[in-house]
Amino acid sequence: MSALSGVRVLDISQVLAGPYAAMLLADLGADVIKIEAPGHGDHSRQMAPRVADNVSGAYLAVNRNKRGVSVNLKDERGRELVRRLAENADIVIENFRPGVAARLGIDFETLSVANPRLIHCSISGFGQTGPYSARGGFDLVAQGMTGLMSITGEPDGPPVKCGVPITDLTAGLFATYGILAALAARERTGVGQQVDASLFEAGLGLEVWESVEYFHTGVTSRPTGSAHRLGAPYQAFRCADGHFTVGADGDRHWPRFCEVIGRPDLPADPRFATNTERLANLAALVAEIEERTVTRKRDDWLALLEAAGIPAGPIHTVPEALEDPHTRARGMVVDIEHATLGPLKALGPAVKLSDTPASVRTAAPDLGQHTDEVFGELGLGAADLAELRDAKVIA
């Protein structure tokens, strides 16, 4: 039994935030039906990296555990098929610009008439209301407009975006959080509701410390490189063969760290006696620390720091992180079988449930792979499907 066994989801979204949210639900056992346009399908199918001539790694990454249907939403018969699927669905996820779903007749107001229990999630760039609601949703733009880029990078450097599409992925996470809350509420009320998530609000929602700094002190947060804006030392330091990270800002760890690096005098220095002083004199603090850390290699320091109980770690490349024995022990790299490509590797579920665990069962579907299967469940026979295919309503 999976956590979401028996829950059906229609995924009418593409590229990242919506498909990511739907994939998280699929990992938990939901029956997710991915609805794509005939011919080109989800835009991510055309994106890099190419795993094979006609297969995109970007598409594979966020569409596993789904059944794939190809239907033409520009045709009223195609839209009617989707509405019929929605009558027996629990959740619909779409990421059209606000207003498009209503024009297609697959918005919450329309679909909930036939299915009052339906939970309808709309993911957009700026939400369903407000002066920017009609704008498209792009992670880079959202990172800039929410202030994330203004606090990322090195001090006095140019604006830098996060290394991952953080507002896209977080919008998907927040959408999933809203959907699961709506499912819980439906258990009490018997009716569904609209879930409205956006890249813009996802970016703002991550600024928990930066917002309180501004609200209560009037200070505008600035980039701090790898350093923490509220504690020091808590950042990356140079060593003889690169960098490593240390979190020694607490009163317990700070003097112990100084002992390890051979500078037991630093806690008595008035510039570094408290966390407040250390933050105020961060450049001087880093210089004093790195005078010692550059004398030894990373792994030597990490062994000493671990023995002393001080939080520290290497700065891995992505391949190093994926090959790390702890990554593998936690099931974060899994093997999966693709219908045409054969065995592939994928990221495993990031949350572990003891009784109803998430799992990776099937690879992302080929375009329209399950069209006949899914619409056959509506009672359409072979002749009906052939007629719709000849009319280019399905593919």
Side-chain angles (χ1 to χ4, degrees), residues 328-340:
R328 298 307 178 100
R330 292 290 291 170
M332 284 306 297
V333 174
V334 298
D335 295 309
I336 190 170
E337 191 74 20
H338 188 272
T340 56

Side-chain angles (χ1 to χ4, degrees), residues 64-116:
R64 66 192 185 203
N65 287 337
K66 302 178 184 180
R67 294 195 287 168
V69 164
S70 184
V71 57
N72 184 4
L73 293 181
K74 294 181 180 180
D75 190 299
E76 175 55 29
R77 290 168 295 179
R79 296 193 291 272
E80 179 57 29
L81 286 173
V82 172
R83 287 192 284 268
R84 288 180 60 187
L85 287 176
E87 290 178 9
N88 295 306
D90 297 281
I91 300 158
V92 167
I93 300 174
E94 57 89 4
N95 65 347
F96 296 109
R97 290 197 189 198
V100 173
R103 291 200 298 273
L104 295 174
I106 54 174
D107 56 314
F108 174 67
E109 287 74 14
T110 302
L111 297 180
S112 62
V113 172
N115 182 1

Side-chain angles (χ1 to χ4, degrees), residues 227-228 231-237 246 248-249 254 257-258 261 263 265-267 269-293:
H228 199 295
Y234 191 102
Q235 64 181 84
F237 291 105
V246 175
D249 54 326
W254 166 234
F257 173 65
C258 294
I261 66 171
R263 289 298 306 272
D265 58 302
L266 289 180
D269 189 318
R271 297 175 298 168
F272 312 134
T274 68
N275 185 63
T276 300
E277 272 84 29
R278 291 194 294 274
L279 283 170
N281 298 284
L282 185 60
L285 176 68
V286 172
E288 296 281 4
I289 292 172
E290 288 191 336
E291 187 177 82
R292 294 293 304 145
T293 57

Side-chain angles (χ1 to χ4, degrees), residues 279-341:
L279 283 170
N281 298 284
L282 185 60
L285 176 68
V286 172
E288 296 281 4
I289 292 172
E290 288 191 336
E291 187 177 82
R292 294 293 304 145
T293 57
V294 296
T295 64
R296 303 185 72 160
K297 291 185 176 181
R298 180 191 75 178
D299 290 348
D300 294 336
W301 285 123
L302 292 178
L304 292 169
L305 292 167
E306 183 175 358
I310 297 168
I315 299 174
H316 280 157
T317 64
V318 172
E320 286 173 331
L322 293 175
E323 296 297 332
D324 190 284
H326 189 75
T327 300
R328 298 307 178 100
R330 292 290 291 170
M332 284 306 297
V333 174
V334 298
D335 295 309
I336 190 170
E337 191 74 20
H338 188 272
T340 56
L341 299 177

